[in-house]
């Protein structure tokens, strides 16, 4: 055998091993299919010696949309360990031989992620949007030595995670808490089926949920950019840079609806003003602030509380909306000190990790936001180098999830992500906030 042929054969074997682990199918793992016992409650999957996450991939094309991904981290892999994906709660079935999974994957490594190919049914969204609950899909980690389920988690919403943790976290301040957020929150496009994105759509939309649903899934900080258009019926718009997206009133209406149905605290991070604020800047800002006061003045917390006030003291006021405003051209009693964005402007995961390694090793004065997403350069957009923001998020979010499960989750303040359904940032926030408040991080919120 020639050296070249040996090299090709080795490459083929390595690729085959990789595919078995990362793109496993039910047929590839058919001998990992018996569960002798399912007696553990459905949990948020973020505690103990096994971490199991089930989330929705941001990937979208003519063939796929809303496809489930499973990611895991385990201290020690046992021979025969496997993970199954189900469209029913295994705890509620009488059978112990759960072979009718939607997807299964053998666990050969201590950490991994798999794109299941299973597309969720969007009509499975909960009929009670303000109650946490499973959305029709469960993942089970099965130990190979016993055949018993070690952990069960589900795809779920988190509309009341603050309230449900209130006894533990109420003495934390906004500056001390881990607050999950969305990057470029108003730049969303809801897609319910496979869809071809043109070049503009690929690099405009950072989210796939509307503002209300981002909050229902657990985001508590919204990153917003405002445009002023004096020649339209609606003067104030949400923008992605110079692209006009939707009237800002729609954003505020979604926020108000969520606040009116929960006891959560929400932060509007009004951070950039890309259009219409250059000419007569101070006057335009004053007009916009007056508009904010008209729309949400009865809900906004006075800035005198400050970022160091405890969550309990803020809730006691009866108001639960914070407006952080990144401009010195306006002042009002309800405008809070702006949030410092730690944005790396990185195009690959390794560079993003190095950037945040430096950030977390230094001093970060709260309030600050770790902008944990990849950013294309202008030429990358023109050449479609990375396939769009969804593809970039699919690459980075898997790693962001791991970073936040580790030590970075201990010391971050706000974390803003693209396509929040494709992350476990909310679960990490729940766990680390408990730990920061001096409580065990591994008391799970059970799900049904």
């Amino acid at each position: 055998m020639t050296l070249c042929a040996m090299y090709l054969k080795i490459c083929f074997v390595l690729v085959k091993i990789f595919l078995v682990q990362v793109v496993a199918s039910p047929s590839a793992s058919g001998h990992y299919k018996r569960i002798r016992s399912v007696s553990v409650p459905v949990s948020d999957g973020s505690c103990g010696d096994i971490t199991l996450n089930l989330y929705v991939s941001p990937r979208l094309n003519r063939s796929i949309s809303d496809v489930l991904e499973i990611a895991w981290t385990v201290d020690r892999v046992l021979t025969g360990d496997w993970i199954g994906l189900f469209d029913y709660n295994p705890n509620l079935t009488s059978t112990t031989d759960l072979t009718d999974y939607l997807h299964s994957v053998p666990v050969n490594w201590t950490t991994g992620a798999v794109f299941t190919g299973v597309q969720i049914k969007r009509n499975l969204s909960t009929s009670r949007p303000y109650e946490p609950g499973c959305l029709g899909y469960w993942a089970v980690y099965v130990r190979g030595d016993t055949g018993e389920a070690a952990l069960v988690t589900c795809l779920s919403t988190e509309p009341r995670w603050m309230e449900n943790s209130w006894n533990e976290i109420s003495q934390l301040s906004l500056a001390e808490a881990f607050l999950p957020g969305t990057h470029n929150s108003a730049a969303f496009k809801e897609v319910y089926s496979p869809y071809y994105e043109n070049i503009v759509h690929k690099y405009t939309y950072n989210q796939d949920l509307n503002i209300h649903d981002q909050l229902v899934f657990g985001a508590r900080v919204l990153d917003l950019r405002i445009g002023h258009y004096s020649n339209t019926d609606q003067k104030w718009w949400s923008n992605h840079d110079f692209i006009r997206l939707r009237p800002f009133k729609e954003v505020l209406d979604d926020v108000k609806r969520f606040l009116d149905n929960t006891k959560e605290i929400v932060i509007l991070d009004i951070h950039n003003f890309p259009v219409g604020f250059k000419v007569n800047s101070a006057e335009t800002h004053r007009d916009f602030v007056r508009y904010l006061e008209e729309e949400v003045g009865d809900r906004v917390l006075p800035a005198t509380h400050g970022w160091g006030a405890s969550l309990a003291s803020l809730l006691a006021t009866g108001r639960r909306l914070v407006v952080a405003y990144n401009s010195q051209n306006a002042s009002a009693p309800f405008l809070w000190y702006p949030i410092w964005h730690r944005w790396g402007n990185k195009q690959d995961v390794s560079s993003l990790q190095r950037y945040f390694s430096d950030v977390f090793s230094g001093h970060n004065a709260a309030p600050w936001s770790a902008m944990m997403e990849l950013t294309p350069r202008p030429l990358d957009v023109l050449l479609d180098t990375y396939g769009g923001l969804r593809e970039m998020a699919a690459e980075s979010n898997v790693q962001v999830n791991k970073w936040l499960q580790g030590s970075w989750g201990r010391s971050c303040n706000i974390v803003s992500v693209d396509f929040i359904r494709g992350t476990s940032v909310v679960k990490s926030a729940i766990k680390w906030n408990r730990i920061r408040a001096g409580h065990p991080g591994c008391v799970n919120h059970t799900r049904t």
Side-chain angles (χ1 to χ4, degrees), residues 301-343:
L301 282 153
T304 50
H305 289 283
W307 293 97
S310 70
L311 301 179
S313 67
L314 297 180
L315 191 67
T317 67
R319 300 185 175 207
R320 290 175 286 107
L321 182 62
V322 171
V323 177
Y325 202 81
N326 188 33
S327 176
Q328 297 179 346
N329 285 308
S331 62
F334 64 88
L335 296 184
W336 287 52
Y337 190 80
I339 295 168
W340 182 23
H341 283 197
R342 302 306 303 266
W343 174 58

Side-chain angles (χ1 to χ4, degrees), residues 241-259:
D241 294 330
F242 298 103
I243 298 176
R244 188 173 68 185
L245 297 171
R246 51 187 41 86
F248 191 60
K249 188 179 188 308
E250 294 180 7
V251 172
L252 296 179
D253 286 347
D254 271 4
V255 171
K256 288 187 284 188
R257 179 157 61 103
F258 179 78
L259 289 172

Side-chain angles (χ1 to χ4, degrees), residues 72-122:
W72 69 91
T73 301
V74 57
D75 289 350
R76 186 166 63 96
V77 177
L78 304 179
T79 301
D81 282 6
W82 65 283
I83 298 168
L85 173 65
F86 300 86
D87 58 1
Y88 60 90
N89 186 346
N91 281 293
L92 302 181
T93 180
S94 58
T95 180
T96 58
D97 190 11
L98 302 179
T99 59
D100 52 344
Y101 43 72
L102 301 174
H103 191 89
S104 67
V105 55
V107 178
N108 298 323
W109 308 98
T110 57
T111 184
V114 61
F115 186 82
T116 68
V118 176
Q119 181 174 332
I120 69 170
K121 300 174 182 177
R122 291 294 293 256

